[in-house]
Amino acid sequence: MRRPPRDTAESQRRITRRGLVVGGLQLGVMGALALRMRYMQLEQADQFRLLADENRINIQLIPPTRGRIFDREGRIIAENVPSYRITMIREQARDVDEVIARLARLVELDPGELEKARRELKELRGDTPVTVADRVTWEDISRVAVNAPALPGVHPEVGLSRRYPLRDDHAHVVGYVGPVSDRDLDRIDAPEQLLRLPRFQIGKIGLEAQRENLLRGSAGTRRVEVNAAGRVMRELDRQEGQPGSDIQLTLDNELQTYANARLDGESAAVVMIDCETGDILACASSPSYDPNLFVRGISIADYRALLDDPYRPLPNKAVQGIYPPGSTFKMVTALAALEAGDVSLQDTVYCPGHLEISGRRFHCWKRGGHGNMDLHLSLRESCDVYYYELALRTGIENISAMAERLGLGVQFDLPMTSVAKGLAPTREWKVANRGEPWVVGDSANASIGQGFVLASPLQLAVMTARLATSRSVTPRLVKSIDGVEQPSGHGEPMGLNENLLREVRRAMYAVTNSNRGTAYRSRIIEDAFRLAGKTGTSQVRNISTGERATGVLSNDALPREQRDHALFVSFAPYDAPKYAVAVVVEHGGGGSTAAAPIARDITLQALYGEDPPLAAYPEADRPRIKAQQEKLRAARSRPTPEDSDRA
């Protein structure tokens, strides 16, 4: 059947329209391809030409600048300094032994460093840079650069290395950095490629490790043109990374330096806290060590010397060390009994020199006894029997609860290594950890800070600040990050009876300002800066009843490691508390003789902001203090590493 002419014409019109659409699409695609080819052949010709003629493009990581660390006044604690090194890339060097031989004729290579480099060149990926010579001179760098055509795969580099200009003053708080080790890589899940750069440094301990994520920053990248011999021809483009954050600490450099100098010769620790903000102004552990030794890897001999030192320079005694607090704990026991209503301020206890508990004699430090003691007298003269009696009345649960309210047995969240929790023991604790029931003798021992009770100098400083202010002061180490102020540790009111706290503080004042007080010789004469404190002596070995009775146990007659620890806690000024201090001198003997003078001197240094006048000290002490100040000034003015380099 023939189609009508009208249908035929309509069909032809449809076919024509479709042909035009398809043809247009084809022309559009071909036009786009032509434009793309023109763009690639003309405008991108230079870039593609780089990929030809045996050249290639390498993408390299740019290590970020590590964040700096400052003290509360903006003075440097940890900085970055230029460091020159020579690296080698195996796949570019090809004949590694031949290239090393040529390099050795230009630069002196350390045999140990070279052996390590050869091992890494074999084990690591072929495109990984390996350090062949570290800490070389600028002249060495220049010789290598001039002879670059004969040293394929060898690259002179200028990087940054960490330096601690104050050496040992902040070692235990700030810690140190060191080259990334295999152990570090194993510990990190999916370590980024940045950590595999030659001798890249990361925090190992202390603040450097605890705030590594802030201080490290992020890597940048650069594209470079490299010829067939592996030599960099030119840099094509660069994308800078993000530098690490600068951290400002609450520590005061001058006060920290003074504290370290004052502790010299002792195995000891001191912590000073600002009572208003909780800022840690000084946190010193003695003896210390130079963290610069660890930055590029400490030698076996230097590390062995630190390990073998009987005064233990490596641990941070201020926050890691936990000690029986001795009589510095008596304020805790007193407040626990007073708050529970088990004793009043007027109640007295007779001290004949001992108290019989369950058939065992618990002795007072004063063999002849103190006679009738109330709260004030018991703290002033540190009578043990008074607190044995309080423990029997109030029980260990009340004592432990009060200890935690005052900051003992609490692990504070600070960016330092191994911050200790200490121990405020309870009945349940002993059953769970010792498998034995609590006995009344345990409570007696705990009441005077012995037995199972343990506290760090940091915790004792916090306890003292809380006693002085009636607030739950919390220690703060980081003041700001990149200029952003961090939360204060001011704290809220603890809810303790202010009248009772006032009486405890008045008794602590008598400890240092009454001629019957145990720390009277370490008083401050200046009325505006009067000191309130409490001495403590904690035993480091079990003492038999027979030894106590015969009085044979003079610390001077014992080997050093068997002598008692000396402790002292204090706050000043008494009328408007500004600073709280805790001092522990390991095996120092007595708190009144070994620890109290240190706390008094550091407190005065903080109050005056410089060496205090001799008039602030007891008159009989002034000749000794004058000589001590001269000695400490000389110790604090020692040259820095930068001074030594210039010399």
Side-chain angles (χ1 to χ4, degrees):
M1 178 185 296
R2 291 185 58 188
R3 299 178 59 187
R6 182 177 166 183
D7 291 346
T8 302
E10 180 65 24
S11 176
Q12 288 177 344
R13 281 196 299 271
R14 289 180 181 176
I15 293 173
T16 301
R17 283 200 301 269
R18 290 172 183 172
L20 289 173
V21 171
V22 172
L25 289 174
Q26 289 176 336
L27 287 173
V29 171
M30 292 177 65
L33 290 174
L35 290 173
R36 178 63 179 168
M37 291 175 65
R38 180 183 182 281
Y39 173 73
M40 295 175 66
Q41 291 178 346
L42 297 179
E43 298 185 29
Q44 289 191 309
D46 290 341
Q47 183 173 346
F48 286 108
R49 192 175 294 115
L50 293 175
L51 299 176
D53 301 327
E54 297 185 312
N55 287 337
R56 63 177 180 173
I57 305 301
N58 273 359
I59 298 178
Q60 299 177 349
L61 289 178
I62 304 173
T65 301
R66 192 171 183 84
R68 296 165 297 173
I69 302 173
F70 300 91
D71 85 331
R72 67 185 298 106
E73 301 297 333
R75 295 168 294 207
I76 196 69
I77 293 176
E79 61 184 349
N80 305 303
V81 294
S83 176
Y84 305 116
R85 59 175 175 261
I86 299 170
T87 64
M88 177 181 289
I89 298 177
R90 186 184 71 217
E91 68 178 20
Q92 296 176 0
R94 298 176 183 173
D95 189 341
V96 171
D97 293 334
E98 175 62 26
V99 173
I100 288 178
R102 294 176 191 169
L103 180 63
R105 290 194 287 269
L106 299 172
V107 178
E108 183 177 354
L109 302 178
D110 179 82
E113 291 277 341
L114 186 56
E115 181 182 352
K116 181 179 180 181
R118 288 183 183 277
R119 185 170 61 252
E120 291 177 346
L121 284 166
K122 291 180 180 178
E123 295 174 353
L124 298 178
R125 279 175 39 178
D127 61 350
T128 303
V130 171
T131 300
V132 178
D134 197 11
R135 285 183 286 182
V136 298
T137 65
W138 177 250
E139 289 74 16
D140 291 333
I141 291 288
S142 301
R143 282 195 294 271
V144 171
V146 169
N147 290 274
L151 299 170
V154 174
H155 304 276
E157 296 183 357
V158 180
L160 293 175
S161 184
R162 203 63 153 175
R163 183 168 70 175
Y164 306 96
L166 296 179
R167 295 182 180 174
D168 55 356
D169 286 343
H170 293 282
H172 291 103
V173 176
V174 173
Y176 53 82
V177 301
V180 179
S181 66
D182 292 339
R183 183 178 178 183
D184 294 324
L185 295 174
D186 292 340
R187 190 176 65 246
I188 301 172
D189 293 333
E192 56 183 302
Q193 192 63 28
L194 174 65
L195 300 181
R196 301 184 185 277
L197 291 179
R199 307 299 168 86
F200 185 76
Q201 297 170 350
I202 63 170
K204 297 289 186 173
I205 66 168
L207 179 84
E208 292 274 28
Q210 297 298 315
R211 291 296 178 264
E212 170 68 21
N213 58 330
L214 289 174
L215 291 165
R216 183 194 303 169
S218 57
T221 58
R222 66 171 186 158
R223 287 198 313 155
V224 294
E225 175 191 352
V226 183
N227 65 15
R231 184 180 181 184
V232 175
M233 304 303 293
R234 60 172 171 159
E235 183 177 293
L236 302 175
D237 62 53
R238 170 186 291 254
Q239 183 177 353
E240 297 294 343
Q242 182 68 34
S245 298
D246 288 339
I247 296 180
Q248 183 180 22
L249 303 185
T250 60
L251 297 174
D252 183 297
N253 273 3
E254 292 185 357
L255 201 57
Q256 182 79 1
T257 299
Y258 179 86
N260 274 283
R262 184 62 182 85
L263 294 179
D264 186 49
E266 302 283 2
S267 178
V270 61
V271 176
M272 172 177 275
I273 290 180
D274 186 310
C275 290
E276 179 63 24
T277 62
D279 287 359
I280 300 175
L281 303 176
C283 182
S285 178
S286 178
S288 189
Y289 59 89
D290 185 354
N292 294 295
L293 295 174
F294 288 86
V295 171
R296 292 184 176 90
I298 191 170
S299 69
I300 294 175
D302 286 338
Y303 191 60
R304 177 55 59 187
L306 293 173
L307 287 177
D308 292 343
D309 190 327
Y311 280 41
R312 302 183 304 117
L314 290 176
N316 183 357
K317 302 180 181 75
V319 300
Q320 290 178 253
I322 49 176
Y323 309 87
S327 293
T328 63
F329 190 79
K330 287 177 178 175
M331 289 83 74
V332 175
T333 303
L335 281 172
L338 289 167
E339 280 280 322
D342 296 317
V343 68
S344 71
L345 295 172
Q346 293 74 35
D347 287 349
T348 62
V349 172
Y350 180 73
C351 170
H354 66 273
L355 183 66
E356 193 89 20
I357 301 176
S358 300
R360 176 186 171 189
R361 280 193 172 188
F362 285 77
H363 291 269
C364 184
W365 69 268
K366 189 174 181 180
R367 292 178 59 203
H370 289 90
N372 286 315
M373 290 277 111
D374 61 12
L375 172 73
H376 185 88
L377 296 177
S378 70
L379 279 175
R380 186 187 75 182
E381 300 177 33
S382 202
C383 172
D384 294 333
V385 169
Y386 180 88
Y387 294 92
Y388 296 151
E389 178 63 31
L390 260 58
L392 298 183
R393 297 184 188 183
T394 197
I396 190 60
E397 302 303 328
N398 285 335
I399 294 174
S400 294
M402 182 59 67
E404 291 193 5
R405 289 179 76 177
L406 293 174
L408 306 184
V410 176
Q411 189 172 33
F412 294 107
D413 183 18
L414 291 171
M416 288 188 278
T417 300
S418 303
V419 177
K421 183 179 180 180
L423 179 60
T426 61
R427 296 176 183 275
E428 291 75 14
W429 173 88
K430 188 179 180 185
V431 172
N433 291 273
R434 297 299 178 93
E436 299 174 354
W438 190 269
V439 296
V440 68
D442 294 331
S443 297
N445 280 327
S447 71
I448 61 168
Q450 293 286 167
F452 301 118
V453 181
L454 295 171
S456 68
L458 170 69
Q459 291 171 324
L460 292 175
V462 172
M463 175 194 76
T464 309
R466 292 183 177 185
L467 288 172
T469 64
S470 306
R471 290 182 279 102
S472 55
V473 177
T474 303
R476 180 176 77 153
L477 180 63
V478 176
K479 188 174 188 296
S480 69
I481 299 174
D482 280 337
V484 179
E485 189 80 10
Q486 300 301 293
S488 168
H490 178 80
E492 300 298 325
M494 291 187 295
L496 294 174
N497 186 309
E498 186 59 32
N499 291 326
L500 300 179
L501 278 170
R502 189 179 299 113
E503 289 303 315
V504 169
R505 290 194 287 262
R506 193 170 69 87
M508 292 176 68
Y509 178 87
V511 168
T512 54
N513 294 283
S514 167
N515 59 8
R516 298 292 297 273
T518 55
Y520 180 65
R521 289 185 295 179
S522 295
R523 66 194 181 279
I524 293 175
I525 299 300
E526 175 59 53
D527 286 338
F529 293 154
R530 290 285 183 172
L531 184 76
K534 183 69 189 78
T535 56
T537 302
S538 64
Q539 300 164 5
V540 298
R541 68 186 189 115
N542 291 326
I543 299 174
S544 68
T545 303
E547 287 178 308
R548 274 286 191 191
T550 56
V552 171
L553 295 168
S554 169
N555 274 291
D556 294 337
L558 293 171
R560 175 188 170 276
E561 64 274 9
Q562 294 182 16
R563 296 174 188 170
D564 298 337
H565 295 322
L567 302 96
F568 188 73
V569 299
S570 61
F571 66 87
Y574 170 71
D575 293 323
K578 189 172 183 181
Y579 303 120
V581 177
V583 176
V584 175
V585 180
E586 292 185 342
H587 311 295
S592 61
T593 56
I598 295 173
R600 185 265 315 273
D601 294 348
I602 294 174
T603 299
L604 278 172
Q605 199 74 18
L607 288 168
Y608 281 95
E610 58 184 1
D611 287 348
L614 295 178
Y617 294 88
E619 187 172 355
D621 239 5
R622 292 171 189 173
R624 181 186 65 80
I625 293 298
K626 182 179 180 181
Q628 174 183 285
Q629 287 183 345
E630 293 173 355
K631 178 182 176 182
L632 293 178
R633 276 195 294 268
R636 285 142 55 201
S637 62
R638 68 192 189 282
T640 65
E642 186 176 11
D643 296 331
S644 302
D645 292 343
R646 284 198 293 263

